Amino acid sequence: MSAPLLALENVTLRRGDRAILSDLTLAVSRGEIVALMAPSGGGKTTVLRVVAGLVPFDAGAVSVGGVALAAGRLPAGAEARAFRRQVGLVFQQHFLFDHLTAIENVTLAPVRVLGTPRGDAEERALRLLTSLGVEARARALPRELSGGEAQRVAIARSLAMDPPLLLMDEPTASLDPARRGELAETLGKLGAEGRALLVTTHDVEFTRRVATRVVVLAEGAIVEEGRPDDVLGRPVHPATRHLLQSGHGTPGANLRTEKAT
């Protein structure tokens, strides 16, 4: 069996006396779509930020595609560039640059970071936008895009550097049911292409449809994981049952950003 693309081993992160992540061990392989679920404040967004190299952790080890992060500091210089070639991150609020068109948002990193000729970068960007069904919006500004269109542009931007690992934070939070279905199909295609996906979500139906595995966090530790039908249909841990019963897992639930992260 090949080594996992993403590996977290005994990762710990503390803020003062509070453990945000506690001895966290998690592996994600190519082709997997792993849904990371937790109550608000459970640490799931922090996991994404650690994996993306945006937040330092106190102990343990993180590696993506064989590129390792060291505990206690953020990657810098050539180390950061090598690491970030491995990881694409789609934020919940998209964070597209308002003054740039959709295609300019997608070409920015390849041109600025990789030195890709602009014509080549635009050609690849248009292919990505086409594959995500938003090529007609290539010259639109973010304010002219719907929520679903903006999200697909953000996905295209994250894929412009061709990372093998894609991270997504609450991708269905601002989408109606039809757009959630479209997103599920998009993520399924990305997984089938051999990418690894780690997705934070409260959306049970979306998770059932798209995830190959569910991981439940409580107080920064993994308390349950397995196939969606098992974890969501026959939850064992009290934290999982509470998550489902509280309405956090219902599409359209009142979602809020994790204050702890």
Side-chain angles (χ1 to χ4, degrees):
M1 182 179 295
S2 60
L5 180 69
L6 167 65
L8 292 85
E9 297 182 9
N10 306 115
V11 172
T12 298
L13 189 159
R14 302 190 67 86
R15 290 180 183 160
D17 295 333
R18 183 182 177 191
I20 305 300
L21 300 178
S22 182
D23 203 29
L24 185 72
T25 295
L26 174 66
V28 183
S29 297
R30 288 180 179 272
E32 278 199 292
I33 304 174
V34 176
L36 191 60
M37 306 184 78
S40 295
K44 61 185 184 300
T45 300
T46 298
V47 173
L48 295 193
R49 292 174 177 171
V50 165
V51 172
L54 300 177
V55 173
F57 53 98
D58 298 319
V62 176
S63 67
V64 182
V67 181
L69 286 180
R73 64 180 182 84
L74 294 177
E79 178 188 22
R81 288 191 293 275
F83 184 77
R84 286 173 183 149
R85 287 291 301 275
Q86 303 294 315
V87 182
L89 173 60
V90 180
F91 296 96
Q92 182 176 342
Q93 302 302 325
H94 313 314
F95 294 121
L96 297 173
F97 291 104
D98 291 337
H99 65 293
L100 299 179
T101 64
I103 197 167
E104 288 170 342
N105 267 279
V106 178
T107 60
L108 185 64
V111 170
R112 294 282 185 88
V113 177
L114 301 182
T116 303
R118 186 170 299 277
D120 293 346
E122 288 190 354
E123 184 178 337
R124 172 167 169 74
L126 191 56
R127 288 199 303 269
L128 287 169
L129 293 171
T130 299
S131 72
L132 294 166
V134 284
E135 69 278 8
R137 310 297 284 149
R139 305 297 172 183
L141 292 169
R143 65 176 176 270
E144 299 170 326
L145 302 173
S146 70
E149 289 170 342
Q151 183 178 65
R152 282 178 280 173
V153 172
I155 294 172
R157 181 178 63 178
S158 73
L159 296 175
M161 302 279 282
D162 199 26
L165 174 65
L166 182 63
L167 310 175
M168 300 189 75
D169 190 17
E170 296 287 2
T172 65
S174 61
L175 300 183
D176 60 31
R179 296 296 179 263
R180 284 199 293 268
E182 291 175 359
L183 178 63
E185 291 179 4
T186 296
L187 299 193
K189 290 177 183 177
L190 293 174
E193 291 171 0
R195 298 184 195 274
L197 289 87
L198 181 61
V199 182
T200 72
T201 183
H202 285 86
D203 190 330
V204 169
E205 294 309 314
F206 176 79
T207 299
R208 287 184 188 277
R209 178 169 179 178
V210 75
T212 59
R213 181 158 47 105
V214 177
V215 175
V216 180
L217 293 180
E219 298 181 353
I222 294 175
V223 296
E224 191 163 359
E225 68 177 299
R227 297 184 308 170
D229 286 348
D230 293 332
V231 174
L232 303 177
R234 295 177 292 277
V236 174
H237 196 275
T240 309
R241 294 197 294 268
H242 176 72
L243 181 69
L244 298 174
Q245 293 167 359
S246 67
H248 287 299
T250 303
N254 182 22
L255 305 177
R256 60 188 176 89
T257 302
E258 295 178 47
K259 293 182 179 180
T261 61

